[in-house]
Amino acid sequence: MSTFKAPKGTYDLIPPDSATYLAVREAIAAPLRNSGYGYIETPGFESVELFARGVGESTDIVTKEMYAFETKGGDRLALRPEGTASVLRAALEANLHKAGNLPVKLWYSGSYYRYERPQKGRYRHFSQVGAEAIGAEDPALDAELIILGDQAYRSLGLRNFRILLNSLGDKECRPVYRTALQDFLRGLSLDEDTLRRAEINPLRVLDDKRGDVQKQLVGAPLLRDYLCDACKAYHEEVRELITAAGVSFEDDPKLVRGLDYYTRTTFEFVHDGLGSQSAVGGGGRYDGLSEMIGGPALPSVGWALGVDRTVLALEAEGVSLELPASTSVFAVPLGDEARRMLFGVVTELRKVGVAADFSYGGKGLKGAMKNANRSGARYTVVAGERDLADGVVQLKDMESGEQVAVGVNEIVAELEARLS
Ligand code: HAM
């Protein structure tokens, strides 16, 4: 073992478990690809200012959790703690919104970094697959994203997740609510930090997990009762569209998200088998974000699903994904001449698209067959000196145990036919 370990709050993805992660990413991306979302990739770091303005100066993400640093050239950068601000920045920079086709629908998959206190399901390096639909105010778009998230989880075989839904209002009604909530919070016995938070970002106080705070929050004014008519109608339409799609959700009037850019629709996918880090995904509408980072008004909506927590949710439900073996054919040469010939067969197989692997390192038959077994290959091809003299290889079906001699010149076609 080396003296180095993965940094605190991180872990390595290694085979065979890494295959599950890839499959989860694929499963989340599939419904997006199928619904008009194009793939986007942005840098792993951005200007600190983008996140400060986008995610919010007073959020935990910006004040406590950002990996911010100054480069040798004097630029203030941060490892990205989330994807939405970056994706919107990139879309604006490339003028995608001017190409005329709104909404601009984008999906992404990558690593994100937050300096959080590590625990199960909460890491300093984690992975998300996300989607952003930029430049349209349409309840059907909000509904589409919620439905696609539901579809992604269901396609993986997850059942014990719930969708929490709320509306955070808009710039008309939220300020009125904010004042009412502040008045209420000022009357409670809260510690200094929390009182300060109530002045800067009162909605965040609703998200305080401490029991004594939660107890005092019973009876707090709810945004639901302050929504303006436009927000109410919009939210009602989103609810109806999701319901009509057969997706169940729970209204959660206390749902506040940890990022400041949200307006109107907000939602979270939570899984009941994960303990305190129960949010497997989340998102919502962010109609003001573009202007906050210097762009034109572009009402938008999106979500990000956490790959790490989705894998934990699968484990919690005891779901194991059916992953096809990555190798179909394993070749075992006995002797130098057989090695040259079989290496050629393996190369041919790979060329025609058959997943093939080879016994390297001059192992004996026993050791090589062990490798063949471990590879999960359906077939092994063995050849020794006598086979070469006869112009054949031994083709073994690892499932039935049946073995037949096949001509060297026919083996590639034979395997292709058997595996198709
Ligand atoms: P978020 O709720 O901060 O939203 O993160 C989304 C998901 O990423 C979480 O539900 C969780 O599964 C995963 N996640 C977040 N932090 C960690 C962590 N420390 N360890 C493991 N997993 C984590 C956003 O990031 C928004 N950008 C979502 C969005 C897109 N809103 C609109 N568009």
Side-chain angles (χ1 to χ4, degrees):
M1 201 176 75
S2 126
T3 42
F4 295 106
K5 292 202 162 131
K8 187 176 172 190
T10 72
Y11 62 100
D12 303 307
L13 284 181
I14 45 179
D17 294 349
S18 50
T20 305
Y21 281 75
L22 278 182
V24 166
R25 288 198 185 110
E26 276 302 309
I28 300 175
L32 299 172
R33 283 205 185 101
N34 196 36
S35 310
Y37 289 77
Y39 180 66
I40 183 168
E41 206 167 307
T42 63
F45 48 81
E46 297 272 355
S47 138
V48 164
E49 197 51 30
L50 173 70
F51 299 118
R53 281 211 238 158
V55 176
E57 292 289 359
S58 72
T59 58
D60 281 354
I61 293 182
V62 168
T63 57
K64 300 183 192 151
E65 298 168 4
M66 240 178 0
Y67 282 89
F69 56 98
E70 192 173 317
T71 65
K72 291 195 172 68
D75 294 329
R76 295 275 304 151
L77 300 177
L79 300 185
R80 56 184 182 190
E82 64 105 42
T84 309
S86 311
V87 166
L88 187 55
R89 193 268 310 138
L92 290 171
E93 190 172 334
N95 279 321
L96 296 185
H97 58 295
K98 290 187 185 156
N101 217 5
L102 294 178
V104 176
K105 302 212 282 188
L106 302 165
W107 77 273
Y108 52 93
S109 171
S111 295
Y112 297 85
Y113 308 86
R114 293 182 194 175
Y115 190 75
E116 296 199 73
R117 200 168 43 77
Q119 64 177 86
K120 190 173 180 188
R122 188 164 69 196
Y123 310 105
R124 291 179 172 177
H125 165 265
F126 58 96
S127 175
Q128 291 183 343
V129 176
E132 314 292 349
I134 298 165
E137 188 186 278
D138 184 338
L141 200 51
D142 308 43
E144 165 176 294
L145 279 159
I146 294 171
I147 293 164
L148 294 178
D150 181 78
Q151 204 179 317
Y153 284 133
R154 291 200 181 277
S155 77
L156 283 164
L158 278 180
R159 291 293 172 265
N160 303 334
F161 67 90
R162 292 178 290 132
I163 299 173
L164 309 180
L165 184 66
N166 193 20
S167 171
L168 289 182
D170 64 6
K171 56 180 185 296
E172 300 302 317
C173 51
R174 181 124 51 115
V176 183
Y177 169 69
R178 193 175 182 273
T179 309
L181 181 61
Q182 267 170 341
D183 287 345
F184 174 86
L185 294 174
R186 285 187 194 119
L188 304 182
S189 70
L190 299 167
D191 60 274
E192 240 174 73
D193 265 1
T194 314
L195 281 174
R196 203 172 311 125
R197 178 172 295 173
E199 294 310 315
I200 304 167
N201 198 336
L203 270 73
R204 186 64 37 70
V205 179
L206 295 178
D207 205 24
D208 200 308
K209 301 282 186 289
R210 290 170 297 180
D212 58 317
V213 178
Q214 277 303 324
K215 230 182 267 162
Q216 296 191 68
L217 289 174
V218 176
L222 293 175
L223 185 45
R224 187 169 58 187
D225 303 322
Y226 287 77
L227 290 182
C228 59
D229 288 345
C231 284
K232 243 187 247 168
Y234 193 95
H235 195 56
E236 202 39 52
E237 182 69 14
V238 173
R239 293 176 77 260
E240 276 173 26
L241 288 165
I242 310 173
T243 308
V247 171
S248 28
F249 62 91
E250 295 165 27
D251 291 306
D252 182 355
K254 284 197 174 158
L255 177 71
V256 257
R257 308 252 310 118
L259 308 96
D260 278 352
Y261 47 61
Y262 291 111
T263 51
R264 291 194 167 169
T265 314
T266 45
F267 51 88
E268 219 149 51
F269 295 87
V270 295
H271 193 277
D272 293 324
L274 294 189
S276 64
Q277 302 307 309
S278 62
V280 286
R285 183 156 273 287
Y286 47 94
D287 293 341
L289 179 56
S290 175
E291 287 155 295
M292 277 149 64
I293 63 171
L298 281 173
S300 307
V301 56
W303 55 236
L305 309 189
V307 177
D308 311 75
R309 288 187 196 166
T310 303
V311 170
L312 290 174
L314 287 168
E315 279 166 21
E317 282 196 39
V319 178
S320 47
L321 303 180
E322 277 194 30
L323 304 170
S326 50
T327 301
S328 303
V329 177
F330 198 90
V332 175
L334 303 169
D336 282 344
E337 215 181 312
R339 188 178 61 218
R340 281 190 287 270
M341 187 273 288
L342 277 189
F343 190 69
V345 168
V346 163
T347 304
E348 262 326 292
L349 283 169
R350 290 171 176 168
K351 257 191 222 160
V352 299
V354 171
D357 203 359
F358 190 72
S359 175
Y360 291 102
K363 281 186 203 69
L365 184 61
K366 217 170 132 198
M369 287 311 285
K370 228 189 231 165
N371 287 1
N373 266 321
R374 225 175 266 156
S375 77
R378 172 73 197 271
Y379 296 102
T380 49
V381 176
V382 185
E385 273 170 30
R386 191 181 305 155
D387 299 311
L388 287 186
D390 295 345
V392 299
V393 296
Q394 301 299 325
L395 171 61
K396 184 172 179 187
D397 183 331
M398 301 296 274
E399 254 169 44
S400 65
E402 176 208 355
Q403 186 169 317
V404 290
V406 177
V408 172
N409 296 328
E410 282 86 59
I411 185 64
V412 171
E414 172 69 22
L415 280 166
E416 243 190 311
R418 285 191 184 215
L419 286 163
S420 69

